[in-house]
Amino acid sequence: MATGRDHRGRPARPRHVRGPHGSGPSLDRSSLRLGRLGGVADPLEVELKYAVQDRSALEQVLGAERLGGLVVGPWRTVVVVDRHLDTPDGAIRRQGFAARLRRTGDETIISLKGAAVDGSGGALHRRTEVEGPASEALDPTSWPASAARDRLLAMIGGAPLHVRFTLRQSRRERELKGIEGWALLSLDDVAVEAEGRRLGRLEVLEIESKGGSEAILEPVARELAASGAVAPEPRTKAALADDLLQRAGLADGPANDEPAPTRAEGPADPEGTPGSEDTAGPEGTPGPDGAADPEGPPDPEGAASPDGTAGPDGPAGPDGPAGPDGPRPIRLNVGRSPGIRADDTLAEAGRKALRFQLAKLLDQEAALGARDDPEVVHQARVATRRLR
């Protein structure tokens, strides 16, 4: 079976994985179907994707020396800026693709991601992915030659590209290695921006198969399901961002082929420190509208400009979404303790402690305006002192 090549010219291995227990259908190895361009099979991206439900509990699971029997590597934090592109009339999405221009450090890559293929469901995502080198310019003809660039040019037919939205991500990554293969785990704190506004925040856990047998994902999926810290997320980040655009009245052109997302949740901070989370439902879960809080600290790139690129003057975005009684309170979902572990780095321990105390302070914020209670004032002052 042809496997295609990645943007660096290396052979891309075909990816086979059965649906994780309780999170999606199984796929017979003989039924795998890849997209094709000129008779050459496209590489297939296979990953598990989850919405974070309990950050403290998840930190405990991810802090272990093994996950699903795989040996975990050291954490590293990477700042990633994704700009999602299309023509004004939505030509790329009409053809069942999403175009992502990703900058990580000094490297920029264009990725064309197709719709889900057979075997996708629950946490398991399977779709074609074609990548190639690019630049920050929105003119594909100026990029180095690649299959991804050629296909994009064929899709747009000379029409100009524009940035639909930008995802600014702080990714905490670590490798998962076993005898039969390896995967890359990433815990992503994401800020969604469009037209100079910060629309919301996402918190997503992903485990992508990178080499060898993709069956190594199955025990990982079982352990995560048993933890209760995450929930299978059947929608992509692009679909979640599309939902936020629609809520803000900024949706343009035809929607992609995925169902409209119902969850846009979790904190994001481009420096790796979680920010605020809209947790209107019980036990810190999202409210029925799934809306995410648009506030948060500035990112290292500055605010988004109207075309979705970075600006110089700090964070973008209006005040939080208002309900009938004014802006909804910001809350953080934390456990009974900061969850600091003996093997945490100083930076990680500090992040957990700050988030825990900030959550305590935010819990008192709504009560401060609702009633005149000296104890509420006292607890808010205690949380403030501990934050200092």
Side-chain angles (χ1 to χ4, degrees):
M1 179 172 61
T3 59
R5 292 179 178 269
D6 63 19
H7 70 279
R8 294 183 178 87
R10 299 173 299 190
R13 298 176 180 175
R15 300 184 173 184
H16 306 276
V17 62
R18 294 191 302 275
H21 177 70
S23 63
S26 297
L27 176 65
D28 183 79
R29 292 176 184 269
S30 65
S31 68
L32 182 65
R33 296 187 304 206
L34 302 182
R36 291 178 178 271
L37 175 63
V40 178
D42 294 336
L44 187 67
E45 177 188 59
V46 178
E47 65 181 357
L48 302 172
K49 193 184 297 289
Y50 297 92
V52 177
Q53 300 292 306
D54 186 332
R55 181 65 176 255
S56 296
L58 180 60
E59 294 285 0
Q60 296 288 333
V61 174
L62 300 184
E65 295 181 355
R66 289 178 179 268
L67 179 63
L70 303 178
V71 177
V72 303
W75 284 108
R76 60 180 176 268
T77 300
V78 182
V79 175
V80 177
V81 179
D82 291 340
R83 293 188 292 165
H84 284 252
L85 313 178
D86 208 338
T87 62
D89 64 349
I92 298 173
R93 285 172 292 154
R94 276 206 316 272
Q95 297 173 66
F97 280 83
R100 182 191 72 194
L101 197 61
R102 166 168 288 184
R103 186 177 79 242
T104 307
D106 295 330
E107 183 181 40
T108 302
I109 293 174
I110 180 64
S111 300
L112 297 177
K113 294 177 178 281
V117 300
D118 290 349
S120 298
L124 181 60
H125 291 244
R126 308 172 64 84
R127 56 180 178 166
T128 56
E129 180 182 59
V130 184
E131 296 187 320
S135 70
E136 289 294 285
L138 297 185
D139 177 11
T141 62
S142 68
W143 301 345
S146 70
R149 186 197 72 163
D150 293 345
R151 182 178 297 192
L152 179 62
L153 288 171
M155 286 180 183
I156 64 178
L161 291 172
H162 75 114
V163 178
R164 298 187 59 241
F165 57 84
T166 299
L167 304 181
R168 299 186 186 276
Q169 307 185 62
S170 174
R171 310 194 80 183
R172 294 176 57 219
E173 298 180 341
R174 67 191 323 178
E175 295 176 355
L176 307 178
K177 293 187 176 181
I179 296 176
E180 297 182 351
W182 72 285
L184 182 65
L185 179 150
S186 66
L187 182 56
D188 301 339
D189 292 327
V190 188
V192 182
E193 300 173 352
E195 298 191 9
R197 297 167 55 186
R198 179 162 291 178
L199 304 182
R201 316 173 75 79
L202 314 173
E203 188 172 35
V204 181
L205 174 68
E206 297 179 341
I207 305 96
E208 181 180 356
S209 174
K210 287 293 189 179
S213 172
E214 287 77 20
I216 62 172
L217 296 180
E218 295 176 32
V220 174
R222 287 195 295 267
E223 184 169 338
L224 289 171
S227 74
V230 294
E233 178 52 82
R235 299 169 183 89
T236 66
K237 291 174 185 170
L240 294 171
D242 273 332
D243 182 60
L244 291 174
L245 260 69
Q246 292 171 13
R247 294 178 186 279
L250 300 177
D252 62 325
N256 57 32
D257 292 335
E258 299 182 33
T262 58
R263 184 182 293 110
E265 58 185 309
D269 184 302
E271 294 297 334
T273 302
S276 58
E277 177 181 7
D278 186 348
T279 55
E283 301 298 321
T285 58
D289 62 358
D293 179 67
E295 291 299 319
D299 59 65
E301 306 287 342
S305 63
D307 68 352
T309 58
D313 299 322
D319 293 335
D325 299 318
R328 291 175 289 183
I330 299 171
R331 298 188 61 193
L332 293 178
N333 183 20
V334 297
R336 296 177 180 271
S337 69
I340 297 173
R341 297 170 52 89
D343 58 350
D344 281 343
T345 64
L346 180 60
E348 179 65 9
R351 183 190 69 78
K352 290 179 179 179
L354 285 171
R355 187 172 193 270
F356 183 76
Q357 296 303 333
L358 178 59
K360 297 298 184 184
L361 178 60
L362 292 174
D363 283 345
Q364 303 300 325
E365 184 180 32
L368 283 171
R371 64 182 187 271
D372 184 13
D373 187 341
E375 180 61 22
V376 172
V377 176
H378 171 70
Q379 293 300 329
R381 292 177 63 185
V382 169
T384 302
R385 286 199 301 270
R386 289 177 176 171
L387 274 172
R388 291 201 302 265

